[in-house]
Amino acid sequence: MMSPTMLTLLVGLGILSAVQSSRESTVVGSGKELIQRVLGETLAANFTVCTLEVADDVNDTFDLSMPLPGHVRICGNSGVAVARGLYHYLRLYCKSSVAWGRNSSGDNINVPTPLPGDTWYHFRQSSSVKWRYYMNVCTVSYSSVWWDWRRWEREIDWMALHGINLPLAFTGQEYAIAEYYKSMGMTEDELLEYFSGPAFLAWNRMGNIRGWAGPLTPDNRKAQFMLQLQSLERMRKLGMTPVLSGFSGHVPEALERVVPGIKLTKSSGWGNFNTTYTGVRLLDPTDEHFIPLAKGFYEMQTKLMGTDHVYNVDTFNEMNPASSDPSYLANTSLAVFQGMRAADPDAIWLMQGWLFLSGFWNEKTVKPYLDAVPNAGMIILDLYTEAVPIWSRYESYYGKPFIWCMLHNFGGRRSLCGNLTRIATGPASDRVLQGSSMAGVGLTPEAIEQNPVVYEMMLETGWTTQPIDVPSWITDYVYGRYGTVGGSNGALQEAWSVLTDAVYQFNFGQTYLGELHRSPGIPSSKMLRIREPANLGPSTFGYLDALRDMAPVQSYDASYDFAGVTAAWRQMVQGAAQVMASAGDISGPLSYDLVDVGRQVLVQAHADLVTLTSAAYLQWSKEKQNTSVVMATLGKALLGVIEDLDSLLITDSNYLLGHWLETAKRWAVSDEERRQFEANARYQITLWGPSGQINDYAEKHWAGLVGTYYYGRWKLWLDTLQAAVNSGTPVDGGKYGHDLLTWEQAWCQDNETHTAFAKTGTVTVSQTLLQSYATYSGKSTYTKFADTVVNGFDIHAGSALVSRDPDQMKMFCDMEPTCVGFISTGYLKTAVDQRSSLAGCDLYVKQK
């Protein structure tokens, strides 16, 4: 007879064997399925996937080999590890890459048969950090709000290929919230009063706003919930740890009716919204009802979605606690944590460190707030490490594990930027600093699908222990992005070499966004102040005021190389034309980049025309000069730039307003909801609030938006200024502001259809625009005087033009009848006789 001890041992071994078998099946199955989705079944048949046995404390690891000619073997300890192994092979042997792009247009996948590689090749790699995190709480509104399963499936594969294993999974949480509160007796009407519209849920969840752009119907909540279940299943199968929402204490006002005696406070105002849409109720974490209510929410959410034990909670996002008393702060964070652990004993609190940028927080407030939670129970996202690291201010968060994050983008606003040198060196060096509790790297942009080079490099840091050599990495990146033909093209390699130095050494707060997206105001002396280099801090944005005085929306770093952007554009247009001549077409990634660089050049040209037009208006309003003719000339050119930009953007599917609007309407189940969702989509990228509360914060450079909304606003501005000059009557600022807002609101409520399909001809259009905006063909002759400056005599005093390329400066000088020359630092001159020496500054004089 078998002994009880032996029986127990055999049963245990059987269970262990079953667990291992299940894990092996999941790793192999998820890996094979991903390879089939990325490469297709025919190519995938040449790959073998197996489970890699490593110790439990070893990070994600893959083992890549080629046991037979034309056959690749990838072993990993998770589906993510297998995916990363596949991506390593694709980049190394196939000069391929996978990046954001509509309908896979961001991919460059060129896998020949038989599969290339060396049979002696064997490579094993482990991730350098435990966690590779992805998404900002705002990304789900600015980027993924209208995604369907096809788009989410694509994104999850992208995550896996890039080694991400800790993704934010916020979709559909309103379904769980509604089910929880309805189980307590809350009515549907009370819930609809609380939830915002789909495009603004991120800020509803953080307790900033309520109700704006709603309602959020039960049908939509259920549909989003079903989408969440699909996403969670795929993430978990690949071995990811999805981060679910937590209970922060932001609750519907009706909770006071449902729970007698509960005491709620109103959150402070936010974003210039009035009380109709702010004043979200907050249940103080120290209240006796907090932990039981939190426990109930986590139990409901787990019942509906399962759990992987990591929850994101940000009780004080862009809001300050009620007290700075250390004991209050400690009790607050402890209650949040205890609410999790009451329902899930293994719960880990994932918190954004963004709140610590507020002046409220210092050593006396941060330490008690963090110390109340055990180190093993919390992970902190150091949200903006590439520009404003917080962890180093507070002794590595007093031992809490933190993730080194790249925020990079605010609102999805477009500019070529990203500090590659900082990204290449920062994570590797900070991880090994004495006292560092760094446990991962992460991407935390407010919006994605822009500047893919920056994100590609940032995710590389999760798989290397050494700093990245930027120049050699860029060379390989160009090969991977454009393939062998594009990568070996000297002009394209030169374009990226120039861009790396010209713009990819600057954070978002240092870059230049232009004036195109700005709600234009009446020129004033504010317009002509010198733009100073930006401080490395969180981006700020202005609000709509009655007069809408023109002032720089954002300063920029003085060394941001505008002329370098134009030089890179020349090289990229040349290289793209050569690739098209050789290969018959250009790839999606090359089309995307060609449009993006050209877009930046035209945005810069537009900004300069705004500067010159404003200067001409001020010459009339302040100096009583008749500038009607020059304003008409400049105004025509300004509108021409907008039209030309729209014609460039429409050649690539990634720059279309129509796609954004159509995907929004696709979620609707009625005509009324279709109109509502389209209005959601329009308001978010323009006024944001009902009357411009966070105006143009989430602007986009999309065909359709540029050609209608931005064009219409700038035409109204030009017509208003021209009418004032022609009539001799100053602009009525109040009336203009009212008329402009009325026009903007009408656009947001409009339902004009915009194409969701790109036109052909990216290279041809780019070549034409290059001749118009970067090749001087005027009749004037200019003589260059090196290392020479003229001080004073500026046509646009105090505000340099940003298009510093000599050919572009000549074009602007020709448009301005009083211009007799210019200096290379961006100033047109009315006189050039008083000269002096200045190294690095060149003077160009127009010959009579």
Side-chain angles (χ1 to χ4, degrees):
M1 183 176 181
M2 187 179 297
S3 70
T5 302
M6 181 61 70
L7 180 61
T8 301
L9 177 60
L10 290 176
V11 170
L13 288 173
I15 293 173
L16 178 60
S17 176
V19 170
Q20 289 176 332
S21 177
S22 175
R23 175 174 167 272
E24 289 176 6
S25 175
T26 300
V27 171
V28 173
S30 65
K32 285 183 175 179
E33 290 167 1
L34 181 138
I35 295 172
Q36 289 175 352
R37 289 192 298 273
V38 173
L39 300 181
E41 291 188 7
T42 300
L43 283 173
N46 297 305
F47 289 80
T48 297
V49 178
C50 60
T51 301
L52 183 66
E53 297 298 335
V54 296
D56 291 341
D57 60 349
V58 173
N59 296 336
D60 281 341
T61 303
F62 68 82
D63 188 283
L64 182 65
S65 62
M66 203 161 193
L68 297 170
H71 195 92
V72 175
R73 185 172 183 263
I74 308 174
C75 299
N77 60 340
S78 69
V80 168
V82 171
R84 182 64 188 182
L86 170 66
Y87 199 53
H88 180 87
Y89 172 79
L90 291 177
R91 291 188 305 169
L92 178 67
Y93 280 107
C94 305
K95 307 302 181 190
S96 297
S97 63
V98 176
W100 294 311
R102 286 172 190 156
N103 299 320
S104 302
S105 61
D107 295 354
N108 173 59
I109 299 178
N110 296 294
V111 182
T113 53
L115 296 182
D118 304 300
T119 53
W120 51 262
Y121 183 77
H122 182 249
F123 180 74
R124 176 176 289 203
Q125 186 177 45
S126 297
S127 57
S128 55
V129 287
K130 180 177 181 180
W131 299 116
R132 284 86 60 202
Y133 175 80
Y134 181 44
M135 280 206 180
N136 185 299
V137 293
C138 297
T139 319
V140 295
S141 287
Y142 284 136
S143 294
S144 65
V145 54
W146 310 121
W147 288 0
D148 56 13
W149 168 238
R150 180 185 176 192
R151 180 63 185 85
W152 264 112
E153 181 178 50
R154 160 81 186 178
E155 193 72 6
I156 295 168
D157 284 347
W158 177 89
M159 294 181 206
L161 289 167
H162 289 83
I164 291 166
N165 66 344
L166 189 65
L168 192 67
F170 263 25
T171 304
Q173 64 179 269
E174 283 67 32
Y175 181 82
I177 293 170
E179 292 301 298
Y180 179 47
Y181 288 129
K182 284 195 294 186
S183 72
M184 298 170 61
M186 202 171 290
T187 68
E188 181 64 30
D189 286 343
E190 290 169 331
L191 288 168
L192 293 179
E193 185 180 82
Y194 173 66
F195 292 131
S196 70
F200 302 95
L201 283 173
W203 302 275
N204 182 224
R205 294 163 179 168
M206 291 185 281
N208 302 131
I209 57 173
R210 61 189 174 96
W212 162 235
L216 192 72
T217 64
D219 285 338
N220 185 261
R221 297 197 304 261
K222 181 65 176 291
Q224 290 290 311
F225 167 65
M226 298 306 294
L227 177 60
Q228 169 78 330
L229 294 184
Q230 286 181 287
S231 299
L232 289 174
E233 180 184 18
R234 180 62 56 78
M235 291 176 183
R236 288 164 177 160
K237 191 172 185 179
L238 285 163
M240 298 178 184
T241 301
V243 179
L244 297 179
S245 61
F247 185 82
S248 63
H250 302 297
V251 297
E253 182 179 359
L255 195 63
E256 289 181 317
R257 179 188 64 78
V258 173
V259 183
I262 196 171
K263 294 181 180 180
L264 306 178
T265 59
K266 289 185 179 181
S267 300
S268 58
W270 181 86
N272 233 31
F273 279 84
N274 62 29
T275 55
T276 302
Y277 299 116
T278 57
V280 177
R281 275 28 178 200
L282 175 65
L283 173 62
D284 194 293
T286 62
D287 186 280
E288 62 179 346
H289 296 91
F290 187 93
I291 293 177
L293 284 171
K295 179 176 182 289
F297 168 76
Y298 288 112
E299 290 173 341
M300 174 63 78
Q301 182 173 256
T302 300
K303 175 184 175 182
L304 295 170
M305 300 181 185
T307 184
D308 296 88
H309 312 294
V310 182
Y311 309 95
N312 171 247
V313 177
D314 296 299
T315 300
F316 302 117
N317 180 72
E318 298 182 2
M319 295 180 289
N320 292 332
S323 170
S324 60
D325 179 76
S327 61
Y328 169 80
L329 294 171
N331 289 333
T332 294
S333 58
L334 180 60
V336 171
F337 182 67
Q338 288 178 334
M340 293 179 187
R341 285 288 174 99
D344 181 356
D346 299 317
I348 295 175
W349 177 4
L350 182 81
M351 182 182 72
Q352 296 185 132
W354 185 251
L355 76 165
F356 297 135
L357 285 173
S358 165
F360 173 92
W361 298 97
N362 52 50
E363 293 86 349
K364 295 180 180 179
T365 51
V366 173
K367 194 173 192 307
Y369 188 71
L370 295 181
D371 280 352
V373 178
N375 288 352
M378 178 179 279
I379 301 171
I380 299 177
L381 300 176
D382 199 63
L383 212 67
Y384 199 12
T385 324
E386 87 272 22
V388 190
I390 301 296
W391 69 274
S392 55
R393 300 182 190 181
Y394 299 114
E395 299 179 26
S396 200
Y397 292 116
Y398 307 107
K400 296 287 185 297
F402 78 89
I403 295 178
W404 201 109
C405 295
M406 182 188 77
L407 201 162
H408 182 260
N409 182 271
F410 293 84
R413 286 173 283 173
R414 288 304 280 248
S415 182
L416 298 175
C417 67
N419 193 333
L420 292 181
T421 298
R422 169 72 171 144
I423 295 165
T425 58
S429 61
D430 290 350
R431 184 177 59 86
V432 296
L433 283 178
Q434 185 175 3
S436 172
S437 55
M438 178 178 158
V441 297
L443 302 178
T444 53
E446 287 192 351
I448 58 172
E449 297 174 322
Q450 39 75 33
N451 288 289
V453 62
V454 183
Y455 296 85
E456 190 81 10
M457 178 179 281
M458 183 63 206
L459 289 172
E460 192 78 14
T461 67
W463 293 82
T464 179
T465 60
Q466 300 299 316
I468 295 170
D469 180 79
V470 176
S472 62
W473 188 92
I474 286 291
T475 298
D476 291 340
Y477 174 79
V478 176
Y479 269 99
R481 189 149 175 83
Y482 304 147
T484 302
V485 174
S488 60
N489 184 278
L492 293 178
Q493 286 286 357
E494 176 62 18
W496 273 101
S497 178
V498 172
L499 288 172
T500 300
D501 294 332
V503 299
Y504 284 115
Q505 300 298 324
F506 302 95
N507 296 308
F508 186 88
Q510 300 170 294
T511 191
Y512 185 67
L513 298 174
E515 307 289 346
L516 174 71
H517 65 279
R518 293 200 50 230
S519 189
I522 305 307
S524 70
S525 57
K526 294 179 184 179
M527 168 67 186
L528 300 180
R529 69 172 182 247
I530 297 174
R531 293 180 171 103
E532 298 291 344
N535 293 322
L536 292 182
S539 176
T540 58
F541 44 84
Y543 296 110
L544 175 68
D545 59 37
L547 296 180
R548 296 183 185 232
D549 283 339
M550 182 73 75
V553 125
Q554 187 189 35
S555 54
Y556 56 85
D557 193 287
S559 57
Y560 188 90
D561 188 356
F562 300 103
V565 178
T566 304
W569 189 35
R570 289 192 182 100
Q571 293 291 330
M572 193 163 282
V573 173
Q574 176 185 330
Q578 292 169 346
V579 169
M580 188 168 72
S582 172
D585 199 0
I586 62 171
S587 65
L590 181 50
S591 170
Y592 178 98
D593 294 342
L594 187 58
V595 171
D596 205 16
V597 178
R599 173 204 58 77
Q600 184 83 6
V601 173
L602 267 62
V603 166
Q604 292 171 187
H606 171 271
D608 289 336
L609 288 165
V610 171
T611 297
L612 293 174
T613 305
S614 299
Y617 176 82
L618 290 173
Q619 288 171 7
W620 167 79
S621 66
K622 296 185 180 299
E623 302 173 23
K624 306 308 177 186
Q625 299 179 26
N626 186 350
T627 57
S628 177
V629 174
V630 68
M631 282 189 61
T633 299
L634 293 168
K636 181 179 179 180
L638 190 153
L639 293 179
V641 174
I642 299 175
E643 290 175 321
D644 286 340
L645 176 58
D646 203 65
S647 73
L648 175 63
L649 296 170
I650 205 170
T651 65
D652 189 283
S653 62
N654 294 286
Y655 300 89
L656 302 179
L657 169 66
H659 178 83
W660 174 253
L661 299 181
E662 292 305 313
T663 53
K665 290 185 286 186
R666 214 174 289 156
W667 279 99
V669 296
S670 67
D671 289 342
E672 181 181 1
E673 195 170 55
R674 190 171 294 106
R675 288 190 293 271
Q676 178 204 347
F677 286 1
E678 180 169 2
N680 264 246
R682 287 172 175 258
Y683 268 104
Q684 190 207 82
I685 59 177
T686 54
L687 293 174
W688 216 101
S691 55
Q693 277 71 8
I694 312 179
N695 202 31
D696 296 317
Y697 180 80
E699 59 89 7
K700 303 293 187 293
H701 294 165
W702 289 340
L705 180 65
V706 169
T708 60
Y709 189 72
Y710 297 153
Y711 182 93
R713 292 200 308 191
W714 284 107
K715 187 176 187 305
L716 178 61
W717 181 75
L718 288 166
D719 289 347
T720 301
L721 299 188
Q722 192 74 54
V725 173
N726 291 344
S727 66
T729 304
V731 172
D732 182 338
K735 181 180 183 304
Y736 168 73
H738 177 270
D739 291 346
L740 186 54
L741 177 59
T742 300
W743 190 92
E744 292 166 331
Q745 290 172 324
W747 188 92
C748 290
Q749 294 293 336
D750 193 20
N751 58 4
E752 176 188 358
T753 300
H754 294 270
T755 182
F757 301 96
K759 295 182 179 180
T760 59
T762 304
V763 174
T764 302
V765 172
S766 297
Q767 289 173 318
T768 300
L769 295 180
L770 185 68
Q771 290 298 313
S772 299
Y773 292 99
T775 307
Y776 180 66
S777 57
K779 297 180 180 180
S780 300
T781 300
Y782 289 82
T783 301
K784 175 182 176 181
F785 297 88
D787 299 326
T788 303
V789 67
V790 172
N791 293 312
F793 306 102
D794 299 331
I795 291 175
H796 43 98
S799 185
L801 302 186
V802 296
S803 302
R804 311 288 170 78
D805 184 89
D807 276 17
Q808 294 174 314
M809 293 292 289
K810 291 174 186 177
M811 296 177 196
F812 292 130
C813 189
D814 282 1
M815 290 181 190
E816 180 45 80
T818 62
C819 181
V820 297
F822 60 88
I823 54 177
S824 59
T825 52
Y827 290 92
L828 304 183
K829 301 292 182 176
T830 58
V832 292
D833 297 329
Q834 298 183 21
R835 307 174 190 178
S836 58
S837 298
L838 181 65
C841 179
D842 298 329
L843 170 66
Y844 292 79
V845 178
K846 184 189 294 185
Q847 300 304 302
K848 296 180 180 179

